[in-house]
Every structure is written in structure tokens, then in C-alpha cells.
């Protein structure tokens, strides 16, 4: 079996379509969500508030005013993510309910992705004092990403039998890191050589944001062609009238229904905590590196590029470990490493690139594996016919949609004026998530959901 080939029992055409959707959206996740946009939007907001972009020696301490609220420019991007995720708490379960009733899941998934890609393309116009436009486009992009991933995650159950889900999920994440690595490498070259290319660094960043939207939109064509639709299972068909009302009614029923599956609910709550920590560490890393540690954009992109490269192999390794020891125990070990990473982040000395790269290497090792295995483990706990609905609740805590973590990070920064206590405050999410995860009985949860037991869990 090749490193990234389709596992036994999985249709090759659908496997490649599924995996390349991760390849497609990772261009947005890395270039926009992880590296470039939060620091860039912060600089645009600081310029609007103070007349200059803040630095470690000359910080911007003047607030913006949004709907009568005083907002620190340094916290703006994190508050936008918070608002988007709070909104998604209502929106994503409706998308899930619709998806479970549709016979054309892939059309819904790809349509949402194309809207998000268009928002990313429009980020090329964010400049000058247009921080409000940037905030709006970030809101739309994150919301569409989360909604598309609700449908995408549910398709894993359609294409992979229980014993192969860890492998398919891990390899798809590896494809995502490969795609993010390639696009980020191109953007690193553009941003680094902006003078030689005859453009400002701001222009180079905006063109990189445009490239992420184009990448996401074009590569989404492949899963649209390769994935096949399936009729809904044990859920009422979609009616032409009252769809939204019907979906909200189904949402209420899902929230009531999941309480009858205590292990599924416990795993979900654990995931929402520890994934908030993971997603917030990812989303704030570039801002932390630039504003707190004083690194230039080129250093940040190179570090994230290294993380992407290491994460490609980390996802594969975690998948192999899970085949022997089970996803549950493998995730538990990964969370212990995440707690050590947060502590190391608090202690990092400013301007010292060696320790910063070492922390990035550690993040790469555990990043993809913990997320990929969480997805496949949760898929085992979902009753048939409710895949997208349950994954919509799961996706509320997925990449780019953390809200508790970004809220805590933004508030601690605004109160203390430093990102160091903000980064260490994220450790509480890993502690709570790990404590809850150790109480999950996977075998019982799979049986309760009426699913076939895999050989190793």
C-alpha cells in the first residue's frame, strides 16, 4: 500500500475526490486563516486608528469604535472569528440538516466552497483604511469554510468503511498539508521578493490572498467531478417549501437526539474544548510571532511552511499509530504534547528564531494527526442518517471557527496589553478537553449508535 494511495475497500475515484477537497481549502486555511490575513488586517486597522502600523517598539494603543464598542486593533481579527463562530452555531446545523435531506451533497459542499473562495479573492481590495471590508470578507470566508466542511466530513462515512476511516481521514489531512505547503511556498517567494518584483509588501500580501481564493475555487472542481451523490438515509426528503423551517425543526430534534447518546455527546464536548485550543494556537501564531516576538513576515511564512511540511508526515504517522493503538489513545497522547507546546510558547524569547522553529516543528508533528483522528473517531459515534447534522455540531469547533479560544485570547491581550499571558491562557482548553476525553468509552458509544465495531478504536 502506497503512502497516500487509497486503502483497501475504498473507491479510488472517490478517495481522490475527497482528499483533494482538503488540498483545495487548505490554501485558504494556511495563507489566509493562519499566516497572512490576521497580521495584515491588524496593520490596516492600526493604521486607521493610529495613523501607523504598530510595532513592538511603537505599539498602537488607540481603539477602533464598532457599533459603540471600543475594539483594540490588535484584537479585531480574533473578534471577527468569534462573531463568525457564534453565528455559525445557528447556521452550520441548518446546513447539516439540509445536507442530510439532499441527494446532491457535493453540489452543496462545492457551492459553499466557491462562495468562500470568492470572498478570499476579494481580499485583494483590503487596503488603506478598509479594515471593515476585511472584517466582512473574513467573516464570510470562515463561515463558508465551516459550512462546506460540515458536508465534507459527513462524506467520509459514505466512502470509507469503519476500519478504514482513520486511514482515509489522516491521508486526506496529509493532502491538505501538501496543498497548503505548495501555495504557501509560492506566496513566500512573492512576499520575500516583492522589491525585486516591483511591488510593495502590502501588494504582495494582497496578491497572495487572491491566490488562495483562486486555488480554493479551482481545485474544488475535482471533488465536484469525482465524488458521487447518494440518496439520503432514514431522513425525510427535502420539500420545496418550508425547507429552512423544516431544517431548524430538525436542528432542535438533533440537539435533543444527541442527549440519548452520552458517549457521542461527551466526545463532542471534549472536542469542542481541545479543538478550540488547537485552532486558536494556529490562528494566532503569526500575530504572536510578529507582534510579540518581533519576527518579520518572511520568517513567519517560512515557519508556517515548515509546519506544513512536518504536518504532512505527522498526519501519516498518527494514522499509522492509530491503526495499532486506536484513535482514542493516540489523540490523548497528542493533547499532552499540545499542553507542553502552549507552555513553551509563553517562555519563547523575543527575536530568537531557533526556539520559535523548534516549537513550530512540535506543532507540525501533532497538528494534523489530532484533528484527522478526531474526525474519524467521531464518525464512528454517529447514528445513520444524521451524519451531516452531527458533523455540523462538530464543525462548530473545527479549524477557523474557534470562538471561546479567540475570545479568551483577545480579551486577555486587551486587558494585559501582552500576547504572552494570552497564549498561556489557552492551556485550559487542552486540560479540560483531555479530562473529558479520558471519560469517553468508544466501544460503548459505537454500540449505542448502532454502528459496526472496528477492529481497533
Amino acid at each position: 500500500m502506497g503512502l497516500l494511495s487509497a486503502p483497501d475497500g475504498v473507491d479510488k475515484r472517490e478517495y481522490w475526490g475527497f482528499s483533494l477537497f482538503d488540498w483545495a481549502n487548505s490554501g485558504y486555511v494556511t495563507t489566509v486563516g493562519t499566516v497572512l490575513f490576521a497580521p495584515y488586517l491588524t496593520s490596516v486597522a492600526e493604521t486607521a486608528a493610529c495613523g501607523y502600523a504598530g510595532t513592538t517598539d511603537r505599539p498602537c494603543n488607540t481603539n477602533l469604535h464598532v457599533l459603540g464598542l471600543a475594539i483594540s486593533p490588535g484584537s479585531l481579527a480574533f473578534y471577527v472569528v468569534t462573531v463568525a463562530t457564534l453565528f455559525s452555531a445557528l447556521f452550520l446545523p441548518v446546513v447539516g440538516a439540509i445536507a442530510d435531506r439532499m441527494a446532491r451533497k457535493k453540489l452543496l459542499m462545492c457551492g459553499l466552497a466557491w462562495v468562500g473562495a470568492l470572498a478570499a479573492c476579494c481580499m485583494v481590495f483590503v487596503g488603506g483604511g478598509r479594515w471593515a471590508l476585511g472584517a466582512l470578507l473574513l467573516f464570510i470566508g470562515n463561515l463558508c469554510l465551516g459550512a462546506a466542511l460540515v458536508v465534507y466530513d459527513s462524506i467520509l462515512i459514505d466512502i470509507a468503511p469503519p476500519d478504514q476511516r482513520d486511514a482515509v481521514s489522516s491521508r486526506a489531512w496529509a493532502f491538505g498539508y501538501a496543498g497548503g505547503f505548495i501555495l504557501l511556498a509560492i506566496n513566500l517567494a512573492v512576499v520575500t521578493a516583492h522589491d525585486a518584483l516591483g511591488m510593495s509588501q502590502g501588494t504582495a500580501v494582497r496578491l497572495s490572498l487572491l491566490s488562495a481564493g483562486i486555488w480554493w475555487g479551482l481545485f474544488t472542481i475535482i471533488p465536484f467531478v469525482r465524488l458521487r451523490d447518494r440518496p439520503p438515509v432514514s431522513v425525510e426528503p427535502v420539500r420545496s417549501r418550508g425547507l429552512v423551517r423544516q431544517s431548524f425543526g430538525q436542528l432542535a430534534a438533533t440537539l435533543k437526539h444527541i442527549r440519548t447518546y452520552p458517549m457521542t455527546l461527551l466526545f463532542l464536548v471534549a472536542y469542542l474544548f481541545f479543538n478550540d485550543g488547537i485552532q486558536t494556537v494556529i490562528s494566532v501564531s503569526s500575530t504572536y510571532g510578529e507582534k510579540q516576538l518581533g519576527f518579520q513576515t518572511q520568517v513567519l511564512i517560512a515557519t508556517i511552511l515548515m509546519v506544513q511540511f512536518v504536518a504532512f508526515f505527522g498526519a501519516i504517522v498518527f494514522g499509522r499509530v492509530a491503526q495499532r493503538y486506536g484513535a482514542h489513545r493516540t489523540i490523548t497522547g497528542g493533547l499532552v504534547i499540545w499542553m507542553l507546546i502552549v507552555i513553551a510558547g509563553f517562555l519563547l524569547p523575543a527575536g530568537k528564531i531557533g526556539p520559535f522553529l523548534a516549537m513550530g516543528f512540535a506543532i507540525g508533528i501533532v497538528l494534523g494527526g489530532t484533528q484527522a483522528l478526531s474526525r474519524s473517531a467521531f464518525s464512528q459515534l454517529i447514528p445513520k442518517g444524521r451524519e451531516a447534522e452531527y458533523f455540523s455540531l462538530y464543525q462548530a469547533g473545527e479549524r477557523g471557527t474557534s470562538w471561546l479560544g479567540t475570545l479568551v485570547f483577545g480579551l486577555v491581550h486587551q486587558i494585559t496589553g501582552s500576547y504572552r499571558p494570552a497564549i498561556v491562557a489557552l492551556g485550559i482548553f487542552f486540560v479540560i478537553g483531555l479530562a473529558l476525553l479520558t471519560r469517553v468509552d468508544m466501544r460503548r458509544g459505537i454500540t449505542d449508535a448502532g454502528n459496526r465495531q472496528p477492529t481497533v478504536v
Side-chain angles (χ1 to χ4, degrees):
M1 182 185 296
L3 187 66
L4 292 176
S5 61
D8 295 338
V10 179
D11 181 86
K12 293 182 179 180
R13 179 181 177 86
E14 291 201 289
Y15 168 78
W16 285 100
F18 182 83
S19 298
L20 288 177
F21 187 75
D22 220 324
W23 168 288
N25 67 62
S26 289
Y28 174 88
V29 172
T30 55
T31 293
V32 177
T34 305
V35 181
L36 290 180
F37 197 66
Y40 180 71
L41 181 60
T42 297
S43 295
V44 171
E46 288 176 337
T47 301
C50 297
Y52 60 88
T55 64
T56 53
D57 297 326
R58 189 190 181 196
C60 173
N61 296 318
T62 302
N63 289 330
L64 300 167
H65 293 280
V66 182
L67 301 177
L69 299 175
I71 300 296
S72 167
S75 299
L76 175 65
F78 310 118
Y79 289 153
V80 172
V81 174
T82 299
V83 172
T85 306
L86 289 173
F87 186 82
S88 73
L90 292 177
F91 179 66
L92 297 190
V94 175
V95 172
I98 292 173
D100 281 332
R101 297 164 184 270
M102 287 186 66
R104 303 192 66 187
K105 275 187 180 181
K106 70 175 183 180
L107 177 62
L108 178 61
M109 179 187 77
C110 295
L112 289 164
W114 285 322
V115 173
L118 179 61
C121 289
C122 290
M123 289 177 181
V124 73
F125 301 114
V126 177
R130 293 188 289 272
W131 58 267
L133 174 63
L136 176 63
L137 293 174
L138 180 62
F139 176 87
I140 295 172
N142 277 17
L143 193 64
C144 287
L145 174 66
L149 289 175
V150 165
V151 189
Y152 173 64
D153 288 343
S154 70
I155 291 175
L156 172 65
I157 298 174
D158 293 334
I159 70 171
D163 282 319
Q164 299 295 358
R165 284 184 200 159
D166 289 341
V168 172
S169 185
S170 298
R171 294 176 195 187
W173 277 92
F175 274 106
Y177 287 118
F181 175 88
I182 291 171
L183 182 62
L184 201 55
I186 296 171
N187 290 332
L188 171 62
V190 172
V191 173
T192 302
H194 64 88
D195 285 333
L197 296 173
M199 67 180 75
S200 67
Q201 181 169 304
T203 299
V205 170
R206 289 195 298 273
L207 289 177
S208 297
L209 299 174
L210 174 64
S211 73
I214 294 173
W215 179 283
W216 189 7
L218 287 180
F219 280 109
T220 295
I221 296 173
I222 298 175
F224 183 75
V225 172
R226 286 184 170 266
L227 291 172
R228 64 185 178 88
D229 289 311
R230 292 167 172 82
V233 179
S234 68
V235 177
E236 295 179 7
V238 173
R239 300 186 179 91
S240 60
R241 295 182 179 180
L243 176 60
V244 173
R245 183 173 59 184
Q246 184 182 9
S247 298
F248 270 112
Q250 188 62 44
L251 167 60
T254 301
L255 292 173
K256 181 179 180 180
H257 189 263
I258 196 173
R259 292 185 301 185
T260 64
Y261 298 91
M263 293 299 106
T264 306
L265 179 59
L266 185 59
F267 184 96
L268 178 62
V269 175
Y271 175 79
L272 292 179
F273 274 100
F274 71 72
N275 192 67
D276 269 347
I278 294 173
Q279 291 302 323
T280 307
V281 170
I282 295 169
S283 64
V284 306
S285 58
S286 56
T287 301
Y288 186 78
E290 178 180 333
K291 301 298 181 180
Q292 186 66 52
L293 303 179
F295 294 120
Q296 297 297 315
T297 301
Q298 293 89 335
V299 173
L300 299 175
I301 296 180
T303 303
I304 298 298
L305 192 61
M306 181 200 70
V307 171
Q308 292 293 118
F309 180 80
V310 174
F312 171 85
F313 296 99
I316 299 298
V317 169
F318 263 62
R320 297 284 178 87
V321 172
Q323 287 181 332
R324 181 172 181 178
Y325 297 104
H328 185 267
R329 280 192 286 178
T330 306
I331 297 168
T332 299
L335 294 183
V336 174
I337 299 175
W338 274 111
M339 287 189 283
L340 297 176
I341 288 171
V342 170
I343 295 171
F346 173 77
L347 299 173
L348 283 180
K352 301 293 185 180
I353 193 170
F356 187 65
L357 291 176
M359 188 181 75
F361 184 88
I363 289 175
I365 291 295
V366 296
L367 178 59
T370 49
Q371 294 177 312
L373 294 179
S374 295
R375 176 172 64 183
S376 57
F378 185 68
S379 74
Q380 309 278 8
L381 303 173
I382 302 174
K384 292 186 181 299
R386 297 179 180 269
E387 292 86 359
E389 287 179 63
Y390 274 56
F391 266 120
S392 68
L393 302 177
Y394 173 93
Q395 195 55 234
E398 189 42 279
R399 55 188 173 185
T401 56
S402 300
W403 68 275
L404 276 174
T406 51
L407 178 60
V408 168
F409 189 86
L411 286 174
V412 173
H413 168 264
Q414 181 152 343
I415 292 169
T416 65
S418 172
Y419 288 112
R420 287 190 185 275
I423 196 75
V424 79
L426 300 178
I428 189 64
F429 294 97
F430 297 112
V431 171
I432 295 174
L434 180 60
L436 294 173
L437 185 64
T438 57
R439 297 174 62 85
V440 176
D441 184 337
M442 289 293 295
R443 291 289 185 190
R444 174 188 165 189
I446 294 170
T447 298
D448 290 347
N451 295 325
R452 179 167 66 85
Q453 292 278 352
T455 304
V456 181
V457 295

